[in-house]
Every structure is written in structure tokens, then in C-alpha cells.
Amino acid sequence: MASYMPIILVLVSSLLVVSSHSQSTVPVVPGLSYTFYSSSCPNLESIVRIHLLDVLQNDTTQAAGLLRLHFHDCFVQGCDGSVLLDGSASGPSEQNAPPNLTLRQAAFKIINDLQALISDQCGQAVSCADITALAARESILLV
């Protein structure tokens, strides 16, 4: 157990830093803010957290799926939610690109469920990319 103490301390301190940053009102860089949705969707974080608590109670491995989905969305040209698009008759989708074929379908369903919950309470105020990022962050914090 003693050999795990440094690792545990690093993890706990990292979580404290992340959670303290989520309460900050100071912009990360000009134009970005941890509290961007505080007026347009004040319950955003609790909507996501409550849904993910339910999801992760049944399967904690979904946190890894959500983190990976977020990574694949942000990998090439920044986070834009395009990995969520399932394509149409007019063209291919990112979901069908070879690197994305192994993304968990359950992660896509979780994001779709979150989008519906958030839209019900906040309208179309929250971007898909932000929902994906928030779901990845919250799921990792919860597990």
C-alpha cells in the first residue's frame, strides 16, 4: 500500500485542481470561461452529473468510452462535435472514418441522451462539442 501513496496523492491533488478550476470565473484565455453557460443553462453541470451518475453506476467503463469519444472529436482540427454526425446520403461521416470505427456506440447514446436532457431544460443553448467535453470531464471525475 505504501508504494501506491504517491500515485494516490497525485490523483487527489489533480482532482482538486480540476474541481477548483471549474468554479473559477477567471477566463482560461480571452474569450473562454468556465462559467460560460451560467446564465443560458445554469443547471448544465448538474444535468450532466446526475445522468452520468446513473450511467456509471451500471457500467463504470463508460467513462473511458466518453473520454475516448472526446479525444477523437478534438484530435485533428479541434473540438467541434463533428464525430457525433452520423452522415447522410450526401456524404460520409466521421463516425465511419477508420480511426473512429472502434468508438463505443454506448458513448454516442450517452451523448445523445445528454443532448436531449439539456435541450429539454435549456433549449439549444449548449454546443455538442461542449456536451462531449463536459461528459468526458464529469465521467472521469465521477469514477
Coordinates of all heavy atoms in Angstrom, one line a residue, residues 37-136:
Y37 N -21.9 29.0 -19.5 CA -23.3 28.7 -19.6 C -24.1 29.0 -18.3 O -25.2 28.6 -18.2 CB -23.5 27.2 -19.9 CG -23.0 26.8 -21.3 CD1 -21.9 26.0 -21.5 CD2 -23.7 27.2 -22.4 CE1 -21.4 25.7 -22.8 CE2 -23.3 26.9 -23.7 CZ -22.2 26.1 -23.9 OH -21.8 25.8 -25.1
S38 N -23.5 29.8 -17.4 CA -24.1 30.0 -16.1 C -25.5 30.8 -16.3 O -26.3 30.6 -15.4 CB -23.2 30.8 -15.2 OG -22.8 32.0 -15.7
S39 N -25.6 31.6 -17.3 CA -26.9 32.3 -17.5 C -27.8 31.5 -18.5 O -29.0 31.5 -18.3 CB -26.7 33.7 -17.9 OG -26.0 33.8 -19.1
S40 N -27.3 31.0 -19.5 CA -28.1 30.3 -20.6 C -28.6 28.9 -20.2 O -29.6 28.5 -20.6 CB -27.4 30.3 -21.9 OG -26.2 29.6 -21.8
C41 N -27.8 28.3 -19.3 CA -28.1 26.9 -18.9 C -27.5 26.7 -17.5 O -26.5 26.0 -17.3 CB -27.6 25.9 -19.8 SG -28.3 24.2 -19.5
P42 N -28.1 27.3 -16.4 CA -27.4 27.3 -15.1 C -27.3 25.9 -14.5 O -26.4 25.7 -13.7 CB -28.3 28.2 -14.3 CG -29.6 28.4 -15.0 CD -29.3 28.2 -16.5
N43 N -28.1 25.0 -14.9 CA -28.1 23.7 -14.3 C -27.3 22.7 -15.2 O -27.4 21.5 -14.9 CB -29.5 23.1 -14.1 CG -30.2 24.0 -13.1 OD1 -29.6 24.5 -12.1 ND2 -31.5 24.1 -13.3
L44 N -26.6 23.2 -16.1 CA -25.9 22.3 -17.1 C -25.0 21.2 -16.4 O -25.2 20.0 -16.7 CB -25.0 23.1 -18.0 CG -24.1 22.3 -19.0 CD1 -25.0 21.5 -19.9 CD2 -23.2 23.3 -19.8
E45 N -24.2 21.6 -15.5 CA -23.3 20.6 -14.9 C -24.0 19.6 -14.1 O -23.7 18.4 -14.1 CB -22.2 21.4 -14.1 CG -21.2 22.1 -14.9 CD -20.0 22.6 -14.2 OE1 -19.6 22.0 -13.2 OE2 -19.5 23.7 -14.6
S46 N -25.1 20.0 -13.4 CA -25.8 19.1 -12.6 C -26.6 18.1 -13.4 O -26.8 17.0 -13.1 CB -26.7 19.8 -11.5 OG -27.6 20.6 -12.2
I47 N -27.1 18.6 -14.6 CA -27.9 17.7 -15.5 C -26.9 16.6 -16.0 O -27.3 15.4 -16.0 CB -28.4 18.5 -16.7 CG1 -29.4 19.5 -16.3 CG2 -28.9 17.6 -17.8 CD1 -29.8 20.6 -17.4
V48 N -25.7 17.0 -16.4 CA -24.7 16.0 -16.9 C -24.3 15.1 -15.8 O -24.3 13.9 -15.9 CB -23.5 16.8 -17.5 CG1 -22.4 15.8 -17.8 CG2 -24.0 17.5 -18.7
R49 N -24.0 15.6 -14.6 CA -23.5 14.8 -13.5 C -24.6 13.8 -13.0 O -24.2 12.6 -12.8 CB -23.1 15.7 -12.3 CG -22.4 15.0 -11.2 CD -21.8 16.0 -10.2 NE -20.9 16.9 -10.8 CZ -21.1 18.2 -10.8 NH1 -22.1 18.8 -10.2 NH2 -20.1 19.0 -11.3
I50 N -25.8 14.2 -12.9 CA -26.9 13.3 -12.4 C -27.1 12.2 -13.4 O -27.2 11.0 -13.1 CB -28.2 14.1 -12.2 CG1 -28.0 15.0 -10.9 CG2 -29.4 13.2 -12.0 CD1 -29.1 16.0 -10.7
H51 N -27.1 12.5 -14.7 CA -27.3 11.5 -15.7 C -26.1 10.5 -15.7 O -26.3 9.3 -15.8 CB -27.5 12.1 -17.1 CG -27.7 11.1 -18.2 ND1 -28.8 10.3 -18.3 CD2 -26.9 10.6 -19.2 CE1 -28.8 9.5 -19.3 NE2 -27.6 9.6 -19.9
L52 N -24.9 11.1 -15.6 CA -23.7 10.2 -15.7 C -23.6 9.4 -14.4 O -23.1 8.2 -14.5 CB -22.4 11.0 -15.9 CG -22.3 11.6 -17.3 CD1 -21.1 12.5 -17.3 CD2 -22.3 10.5 -18.3
L53 N -24.1 9.9 -13.3 CA -24.1 9.0 -12.0 C -24.9 7.8 -12.3 O -24.5 6.7 -11.9 CB -24.7 9.8 -10.9 CG -23.7 10.7 -10.1 CD1 -24.5 11.6 -9.2 CD2 -22.7 9.9 -9.4
D54 N -26.0 7.9 -12.9 CA -26.9 6.8 -13.2 C -26.2 5.8 -14.2 O -26.2 4.6 -14.0 CB -28.2 7.3 -13.8 CG -29.2 6.1 -14.0 OD1 -29.3 5.3 -13.1 OD2 -29.9 6.1 -15.0
V55 N -25.6 6.4 -15.3 CA -25.0 5.6 -16.3 C -23.8 4.8 -15.7 O -23.6 3.6 -15.9 CB -24.5 6.5 -17.5 CG1 -23.5 5.7 -18.3 CG2 -25.6 7.0 -18.3
L56 N -23.0 5.5 -14.9 CA -21.7 4.9 -14.4 C -22.0 3.9 -13.2 O -21.1 3.1 -13.0 CB -20.8 6.0 -14.0 CG -20.3 6.9 -15.1 CD1 -19.5 8.1 -14.6 CD2 -19.5 6.1 -16.1
Q57 N -23.1 4.1 -12.6 CA -23.5 3.1 -11.6 C -23.7 1.7 -12.2 O -23.3 0.7 -11.6 CB -24.8 3.4 -10.9 CG -24.6 4.0 -9.6 CD -26.0 4.3 -8.9 OE1 -27.0 4.3 -9.5 NE2 -25.9 4.4 -7.6
N58 N -24.1 1.7 -13.4 CA -24.4 0.4 -14.2 C -23.1 -0.1 -14.9 O -22.9 -1.3 -15.0 CB -25.5 0.6 -15.2 CG -26.8 0.9 -14.5 OD1 -27.1 0.3 -13.5 ND2 -27.6 1.7 -15.1
D59 N -22.2 0.9 -15.3 CA -21.0 0.5 -16.1 C -20.0 1.6 -16.0 O -20.0 2.5 -16.8 CB -21.4 0.2 -17.5 CG -20.2 -0.3 -18.3 OD1 -19.1 -0.5 -17.8 OD2 -20.4 -0.6 -19.5
T60 N -19.0 1.4 -15.1 CA -18.0 2.5 -14.9 C -17.1 2.6 -16.2 O -16.5 3.6 -16.3 CB -17.1 2.2 -13.7 OG1 -16.5 0.9 -13.8 CG2 -17.9 2.3 -12.4
T61 N -17.1 1.6 -17.0 CA -16.2 1.6 -18.2 C -16.7 2.6 -19.2 O -15.9 3.0 -20.1 CB -16.0 0.2 -18.8 OG1 -17.3 -0.2 -19.4 CG2 -15.5 -0.8 -17.8
Q62 N -17.9 3.1 -19.1 CA -18.4 4.1 -20.0 C -17.6 5.4 -19.9 O -17.6 6.2 -20.8 CB -19.9 4.4 -19.8 CG -20.8 3.2 -20.2 CD -20.5 2.7 -21.6 OE1 -20.2 3.5 -22.5 NE2 -20.6 1.4 -21.8
A63 N -17.0 5.7 -18.7 CA -16.2 6.9 -18.6 C -15.0 6.8 -19.6 O -14.8 7.9 -20.2 CB -15.6 7.0 -17.2
A64 N -14.4 5.7 -19.8 CA -13.3 5.6 -20.8 C -13.9 5.8 -22.2 O -13.2 6.5 -23.0 CB -12.7 4.2 -20.7
G65 N -15.1 5.3 -22.5 CA -15.7 5.5 -23.8 C -16.0 6.9 -24.1 O -15.8 7.4 -25.2
L66 N -16.4 7.7 -23.1 CA -16.7 9.1 -23.2 C -15.4 9.9 -23.4 O -15.4 10.8 -24.2 CB -17.5 9.6 -22.1 CG -19.0 9.1 -22.0 CD1 -19.6 9.4 -20.6 CD2 -19.8 9.7 -23.1
L67 N -14.4 9.6 -22.6 CA -13.1 10.3 -22.8 C -12.6 10.0 -24.2 O -12.1 11.0 -24.8 CB -12.2 9.8 -21.7 CG -10.8 10.5 -21.7 CD1 -10.9 12.0 -21.5 CD2 -9.9 9.8 -20.7
R68 N -12.6 8.8 -24.7 CA -12.1 8.5 -26.0 C -12.9 9.2 -27.1 O -12.3 9.7 -28.1 CB -12.1 7.0 -26.2 CG -11.4 6.5 -27.4 CD -11.0 5.1 -27.3 NE -10.4 4.7 -28.5 CZ -11.0 4.0 -29.5 NH1 -12.2 3.6 -29.4 NH2 -10.4 3.7 -30.6
L69 N -14.2 9.3 -26.9 CA -15.0 10.0 -27.9 C -14.6 11.4 -28.0 O -14.5 12.0 -29.0 CB -16.5 9.8 -27.5 CG -17.5 10.5 -28.4 CD1 -17.6 9.7 -29.8 CD2 -18.9 10.4 -27.8
H70 N -14.4 12.0 -26.8 CA -14.0 13.4 -26.8 C -12.6 13.6 -27.4 O -12.4 14.5 -28.2 CB -13.9 13.9 -25.3 CG -13.4 15.3 -25.1 ND1 -13.9 16.4 -25.7 CD2 -12.4 15.7 -24.4 CE1 -13.3 17.5 -25.4 NE2 -12.3 17.1 -24.6
F71 N -11.7 12.7 -27.2 CA -10.4 12.8 -27.8 C -10.5 12.7 -29.3 O -9.9 13.5 -30.0 CB -9.5 11.6 -27.3 CG -8.2 11.5 -28.0 CD1 -7.2 12.3 -27.8 CD2 -8.1 10.5 -29.0 CE1 -6.0 12.2 -28.5 CE2 -6.9 10.4 -29.7 CZ -5.8 11.2 -29.4
H72 N -11.3 11.8 -29.8 CA -11.4 11.6 -31.2 C -12.1 12.8 -31.9 O -11.8 13.2 -33.0 CB -12.2 10.3 -31.6 CG -11.3 9.1 -31.6 ND1 -10.9 8.5 -32.7 CD2 -10.7 8.5 -30.5 CE1 -10.2 7.4 -32.4 NE2 -10.0 7.4 -31.1
D73 N -13.0 13.5 -31.1 CA -13.6 14.7 -31.7 C -12.6 15.8 -31.8 O -12.7 16.6 -32.7 CB -14.8 15.1 -30.8 CG -15.5 16.3 -31.3 OD1 -15.8 16.3 -32.5 OD2 -15.8 17.2 -30.5
C74 N -11.7 15.9 -30.8 CA -10.7 17.0 -30.8 C -9.4 16.8 -31.5 O -8.6 17.7 -31.7 CB -10.4 17.3 -29.3 SG -11.8 17.8 -28.4
F75 N -9.2 15.6 -32.0 CA -7.9 15.1 -32.4 C -7.3 15.9 -33.6 O -6.2 16.4 -33.5 CB -7.9 13.6 -32.7 CG -6.6 13.1 -33.1 CD1 -5.6 13.0 -32.2 CD2 -6.4 12.6 -34.4 CE1 -4.3 12.5 -32.6 CE2 -5.1 12.1 -34.8 CZ -4.1 12.1 -33.8
V76 N -8.1 16.1 -34.6 CA -7.4 16.7 -35.9 C -7.5 18.2 -35.9 O -6.5 18.8 -35.9 CB -8.1 16.1 -37.1 CG1 -7.5 16.7 -38.4 CG2 -7.9 14.6 -37.1
Q77 N -8.7 18.8 -35.9 CA -8.7 20.2 -36.0 C -9.5 20.9 -34.9 O -10.2 21.9 -35.1 CB -9.4 20.6 -37.4 CG -8.6 20.2 -38.6 CD -9.3 20.6 -39.9 OE1 -10.4 20.9 -39.9 NE2 -8.5 20.6 -40.9
G78 N -9.4 20.4 -33.7 CA -10.1 21.0 -32.6 C -11.4 20.4 -32.3 O -12.0 19.6 -33.2
C79 N -12.0 20.6 -31.2 CA -13.2 20.1 -30.7 C -14.4 20.8 -31.4 O -14.6 22.0 -31.2 CB -13.4 20.2 -29.2 SG -12.0 19.6 -28.3
D80 N -15.1 20.1 -32.2 CA -16.2 20.7 -33.0 C -17.5 19.9 -33.0 O -18.5 20.3 -33.6 CB -15.8 21.0 -34.4 CG -15.4 19.8 -35.2 OD1 -15.5 18.7 -34.7 OD2 -14.9 20.0 -36.3
G81 N -17.5 18.7 -32.3 CA -18.7 17.9 -32.3 C -18.9 17.1 -33.6 O -19.9 16.3 -33.7
S82 N -18.0 17.2 -34.5 CA -18.3 16.5 -35.8 C -18.2 15.0 -35.7 O -18.9 14.3 -36.6 CB -17.2 17.0 -36.9 OG -15.9 16.7 -36.4
V83 N -17.6 14.5 -34.7 CA -17.6 13.0 -34.6 C -19.0 12.5 -34.3 O -19.3 11.3 -34.5 CB -16.5 12.5 -33.5 CG1 -17.0 12.8 -32.1 CG2 -16.2 11.1 -33.7
L84 N -19.8 13.3 -33.8 CA -21.2 12.9 -33.5 C -22.1 12.8 -34.7 O -23.2 12.2 -34.6 CB -21.8 13.9 -32.5 CG -21.1 14.1 -31.2 CD1 -21.7 15.2 -30.4 CD2 -21.0 12.8 -30.4
L85 N -21.7 13.4 -35.8 CA -22.5 13.4 -37.0 C -22.5 12.0 -37.6 O -21.4 11.5 -37.9 CB -22.0 14.5 -38.0 CG -22.1 15.9 -37.5 CD1 -21.4 16.8 -38.5 CD2 -23.5 16.4 -37.2
D86 N -23.7 11.5 -37.9 CA -23.7 10.1 -38.5 C -23.8 10.1 -40.0 O -24.0 9.0 -40.6 CB -24.8 9.3 -37.8 CG -26.2 9.9 -38.0 OD1 -26.3 10.9 -38.8 OD2 -27.1 9.4 -37.4
G87 N -23.6 11.2 -40.6 CA -23.6 11.2 -42.1 C -25.0 11.3 -42.7 O -26.0 11.2 -42.0
S88 N -25.0 11.3 -44.0 CA -26.3 11.3 -44.7 C -26.0 10.7 -46.1 O -24.9 10.3 -46.4 CB -26.8 12.7 -44.8 OG -25.9 13.5 -45.6
A89 N -27.0 10.7 -46.9 CA -26.9 10.2 -48.3 C -25.9 11.1 -49.1 O -25.3 10.7 -50.1 CB -28.2 10.2 -49.0
S90 N -25.7 12.3 -48.7 CA -24.8 13.3 -49.4 C -23.3 13.1 -49.2 O -22.5 13.7 -49.8 CB -25.2 14.7 -49.2 OG -25.0 15.0 -47.8
G91 N -23.0 12.3 -48.2 CA -21.5 12.2 -47.9 C -21.2 11.3 -46.7 O -22.1 10.9 -45.9
P92 N -19.9 11.0 -46.6 CA -19.5 10.1 -45.4 C -19.5 10.9 -44.1 O -19.6 12.1 -44.1 CB -18.1 9.7 -45.8 CG -17.6 10.9 -46.7 CD -18.8 11.4 -47.4
S93 N -19.4 10.2 -43.0 CA -19.3 10.8 -41.7 C -18.0 10.5 -41.0 O -17.3 9.6 -41.4 CB -20.5 10.4 -40.9 OG -20.3 9.0 -40.4
E94 N -17.7 11.3 -40.0 CA -16.5 11.0 -39.2 C -16.7 9.7 -38.5 O -15.7 9.0 -38.2 CB -16.2 12.1 -38.2 CG -15.5 13.2 -38.8 CD -14.9 14.2 -37.8 OE1 -14.5 13.7 -36.7 OE2 -15.0 15.4 -38.0
Q95 N -17.9 9.3 -38.2 CA -18.1 8.0 -37.5 C -17.6 6.8 -38.3 O -17.2 5.8 -37.7 CB -19.6 7.8 -37.1 CG -20.0 8.7 -35.9 CD -21.4 8.5 -35.5 OE1 -22.0 7.5 -35.8 NE2 -22.0 9.5 -34.8
N96 N -17.7 7.0 -39.6 CA -17.2 5.9 -40.5 C -15.8 5.9 -40.9 O -15.3 5.1 -41.6 CB -18.1 5.9 -41.7 CG -19.6 5.6 -41.4 OD1 -19.8 4.8 -40.5 ND2 -20.5 6.2 -42.1
A97 N -15.1 6.9 -40.4 CA -13.6 7.0 -40.7 C -12.9 5.9 -39.9 O -13.3 5.6 -38.8 CB -13.1 8.4 -40.3
P98 N -11.9 5.3 -40.5 CA -11.3 4.1 -39.9 C -10.9 4.3 -38.4 O -11.1 3.4 -37.6 CB -10.1 3.8 -40.8 CG -10.5 4.3 -42.1 CD -11.4 5.5 -41.9
P99 N -10.3 5.5 -38.0 CA -9.9 5.6 -36.6 C -11.1 5.6 -35.6 O -10.9 5.3 -34.5 CB -9.1 6.9 -36.5 CG -8.8 7.3 -37.9 CD -9.8 6.6 -38.8
N100 N -12.3 6.0 -36.1 CA -13.4 6.1 -35.3 C -14.3 4.9 -35.2 O -15.3 4.9 -34.5 CB -14.2 7.3 -35.7 CG -13.4 8.6 -35.6 OD1 -12.5 8.7 -34.8 ND2 -13.8 9.6 -36.4
L101 N -14.0 3.9 -36.0 CA -14.9 2.7 -36.1 C -15.0 1.9 -34.8 O -15.9 1.2 -34.5 CB -14.4 1.8 -37.2 CG -14.6 2.3 -38.6 CD1 -14.0 1.4 -39.7 CD2 -16.1 2.6 -38.9
T102 N -14.0 2.1 -34.0 CA -14.0 1.3 -32.7 C -14.5 2.2 -31.5 O -14.4 1.7 -30.4 CB -12.5 0.8 -32.4 OG1 -11.7 2.0 -32.3 CG2 -12.0 -0.1 -33.4
L103 N -15.0 3.4 -31.8 CA -15.6 4.1 -30.7 C -16.8 3.4 -30.2 O -17.6 2.8 -31.0 CB -15.9 5.6 -31.2 CG -14.8 6.4 -31.5 CD1 -15.2 7.8 -32.1 CD2 -13.9 6.7 -30.3
R104 N -17.1 3.5 -28.9 CA -18.2 2.8 -28.3 C -19.5 3.4 -28.7 O -19.8 4.6 -28.6 CB -18.1 2.8 -26.8 CG -17.0 2.0 -26.2 CD -17.1 2.1 -24.7 NE -16.1 1.2 -24.1 CZ -16.2 0.8 -22.9 NH1 -17.1 1.3 -22.1 NH2 -15.2 0.0 -22.4
Q105 N -20.4 2.6 -29.2 CA -21.8 3.1 -29.6 C -22.5 3.6 -28.4 O -23.3 4.5 -28.4 CB -22.5 2.0 -30.3 CG -22.0 1.7 -31.7 CD -21.9 2.9 -32.6 OE1 -22.9 3.6 -32.8 NE2 -20.7 3.2 -33.1
A106 N -22.2 3.0 -27.2 CA -22.9 3.4 -26.0 C -22.5 4.8 -25.6 O -23.3 5.6 -25.1 CB -22.5 2.5 -24.8
A107 N -21.3 5.2 -26.0 CA -20.8 6.6 -25.7 C -21.6 7.6 -26.5 O -22.1 8.6 -26.1 CB -19.3 6.8 -26.0
F108 N -21.9 7.2 -27.8 CA -22.7 8.1 -28.7 C -24.1 8.2 -28.1 O -24.7 9.3 -28.1 CB -22.8 7.5 -30.1 CG -21.5 7.7 -30.9 CD1 -20.7 6.6 -31.1 CD2 -21.1 8.9 -31.3 CE1 -19.5 6.7 -31.9 CE2 -20.0 9.1 -32.1 CZ -19.2 8.0 -32.3
K109 N -24.7 7.1 -27.6 CA -26.0 7.1 -27.0 C -26.0 8.0 -25.7 O -27.0 8.7 -25.5 CB -26.5 5.7 -26.7 CG -27.9 5.7 -26.1 CD -28.4 4.3 -25.7 CE -29.8 4.3 -25.2 NZ -30.2 5.4 -24.5
I110 N -25.0 7.9 -24.9 CA -25.0 8.7 -23.7 C -25.0 10.2 -24.1 O -25.7 11.0 -23.5 CB -23.7 8.4 -22.9 CG1 -23.9 7.0 -22.3 CG2 -23.5 9.4 -21.7 CD1 -22.6 6.4 -21.7
I111 N -24.2 10.6 -25.1 CA -24.1 12.0 -25.5 C -25.5 12.4 -26.1 O -26.0 13.5 -25.8 CB -23.0 12.2 -26.6 CG1 -21.6 11.9 -25.9 CG2 -23.1 13.6 -27.1 CD1 -21.3 12.8 -24.8
N112 N -26.1 11.5 -26.9 CA -27.5 11.8 -27.4 C -28.5 12.0 -26.3 O -29.3 12.9 -26.4 CB -27.9 10.7 -28.4 CG -27.2 10.8 -29.7 OD1 -26.7 11.9 -30.1 ND2 -27.1 9.7 -30.4
D113 N -28.4 11.1 -25.3 CA -29.3 11.3 -24.2 C -29.1 12.6 -23.4 O -30.0 13.3 -23.0 CB -29.2 10.1 -23.2 CG -29.7 8.8 -23.8 OD1 -30.4 8.8 -24.9 OD2 -29.3 7.7 -23.3
L114 N -27.8 12.9 -23.2 CA -27.5 14.2 -22.6 C -28.0 15.4 -23.4 O -28.5 16.4 -22.8 CB -26.0 14.3 -22.3 CG -25.4 13.5 -21.2 CD1 -23.9 13.5 -21.2 CD2 -25.9 14.1 -19.9
Q115 N -27.8 15.3 -24.7 CA -28.3 16.4 -25.6 C -29.8 16.6 -25.4 O -30.3 17.7 -25.3 CB -28.0 16.1 -27.0 CG -26.5 16.3 -27.4 CD -26.2 15.8 -28.8 OE1 -26.7 14.8 -29.3 NE2 -25.4 16.6 -29.5
A116 N -30.5 15.5 -25.3 CA -32.0 15.6 -25.2 C -32.4 16.2 -23.8 O -33.2 17.1 -23.7 CB -32.6 14.2 -25.3
L117 N -31.7 15.7 -22.8 CA -32.0 16.3 -21.4 C -31.7 17.7 -21.3 O -32.4 18.5 -20.8 CB -31.1 15.5 -20.4 CG -31.5 14.1 -20.1 CD1 -30.4 13.4 -19.2 CD2 -32.8 14.1 -19.3
I118 N -30.5 18.1 -21.9 CA -30.1 19.5 -21.8 C -31.0 20.4 -22.7 O -31.4 21.5 -22.3 CB -28.6 19.7 -22.3 CG1 -27.7 19.0 -21.2 CG2 -28.3 21.1 -22.5 CD1 -26.3 18.8 -21.7
S119 N -31.4 19.9 -23.9 CA -32.3 20.7 -24.7 C -33.7 20.9 -24.0 O -34.3 21.9 -24.2 CB -32.5 20.0 -26.0 OG -31.4 20.0 -26.8
D120 N -34.2 19.8 -23.3 CA -35.4 20.0 -22.6 C -35.4 21.1 -21.6 O -36.4 21.8 -21.4 CB -35.8 18.6 -21.9 CG -36.3 17.6 -22.9 OD1 -36.6 17.9 -24.0 OD2 -36.4 16.4 -22.4
Q121 N -34.3 21.2 -20.9 CA -34.2 22.2 -19.8 C -33.6 23.6 -20.2 O -33.9 24.6 -19.6 CB -33.4 21.6 -18.7 CG -34.1 20.5 -18.0 CD -33.4 20.1 -16.7 OE1 -32.8 20.9 -16.0 NE2 -33.5 18.8 -16.4
C122 N -32.8 23.6 -21.3 CA -32.1 24.8 -21.7 C -32.3 25.2 -23.1 O -31.7 26.2 -23.5 CB -30.6 24.6 -21.4 SG -30.2 24.2 -19.8
G123 N -33.0 24.5 -23.9 CA -33.1 24.8 -25.3 C -31.8 24.4 -26.0 O -31.1 23.5 -25.5
Q124 N -31.6 25.0 -27.1 CA -30.4 24.7 -27.9 C -29.2 25.6 -27.5 O -28.4 26.0 -28.4 CB -30.7 24.9 -29.4 CG -31.8 24.0 -29.9 CD -31.4 22.5 -29.9 OE1 -30.3 22.1 -30.3 NE2 -32.3 21.7 -29.4
A125 N -29.0 25.9 -26.3 CA -28.0 26.8 -25.8 C -26.6 26.2 -25.7 O -25.6 26.9 -25.7 CB -28.4 27.3 -24.4
V126 N -26.5 24.9 -25.6 CA -25.2 24.3 -25.4 C -24.7 23.5 -26.6 O -25.5 22.7 -27.2 CB -25.3 23.3 -24.1 CG1 -24.0 22.7 -23.8 CG2 -25.9 24.0 -22.9
S127 N -23.5 23.8 -27.0 CA -23.0 23.1 -28.2 C -22.7 21.6 -27.9 O -22.4 21.2 -26.8 CB -21.7 23.8 -28.6 OG -20.6 23.4 -27.8
C128 N -22.8 20.9 -29.0 CA -22.5 19.4 -28.9 C -21.1 19.2 -28.5 O -20.8 18.2 -27.7 CB -22.7 18.8 -30.3 SG -24.4 18.8 -30.9
A129 N -20.1 20.0 -29.0 CA -18.7 19.8 -28.5 C -18.6 20.0 -27.0 O -17.8 19.3 -26.4 CB -17.8 20.7 -29.3
D130 N -19.3 21.0 -26.5 CA -19.2 21.3 -25.1 C -19.8 20.2 -24.3 O -19.4 19.8 -23.2 CB -19.8 22.6 -24.8 CG -19.0 23.8 -25.2 OD1 -17.8 23.6 -25.6 OD2 -19.5 24.9 -25.2
I131 N -20.9 19.6 -24.8 CA -21.6 18.5 -24.1 C -20.6 17.3 -24.0 O -20.4 16.7 -23.0 CB -22.9 18.1 -24.7 CG1 -23.9 19.2 -24.5 CG2 -23.4 16.8 -24.2 CD1 -25.2 19.0 -25.4
T132 N -19.9 17.0 -25.1 CA -19.0 15.9 -25.2 C -17.8 16.2 -24.2 O -17.4 15.3 -23.5 CB -18.5 15.8 -26.6 OG1 -19.6 15.6 -27.5 CG2 -17.5 14.6 -26.7
A133 N -17.3 17.4 -24.2 CA -16.2 17.7 -23.3 C -16.6 17.6 -21.8 O -15.9 17.1 -21.0 CB -15.7 19.1 -23.6
L134 N -17.8 18.2 -21.5 CA -18.3 18.1 -20.1 C -18.6 16.7 -19.7 O -18.2 16.3 -18.6 CB -19.5 19.0 -20.0 CG -20.1 19.2 -18.6 CD1 -19.0 19.8 -17.7 CD2 -21.3 20.1 -18.7
A135 N -19.1 15.9 -20.6 CA -19.4 14.5 -20.2 C -18.1 13.7 -20.0 O -18.0 12.9 -19.0 CB -20.2 13.8 -21.4
A136 N -17.1 14.0 -20.8 CA -15.8 13.3 -20.6 C -15.2 13.8 -19.2 O -14.8 12.9 -18.4 CB -14.8 13.7 -21.7

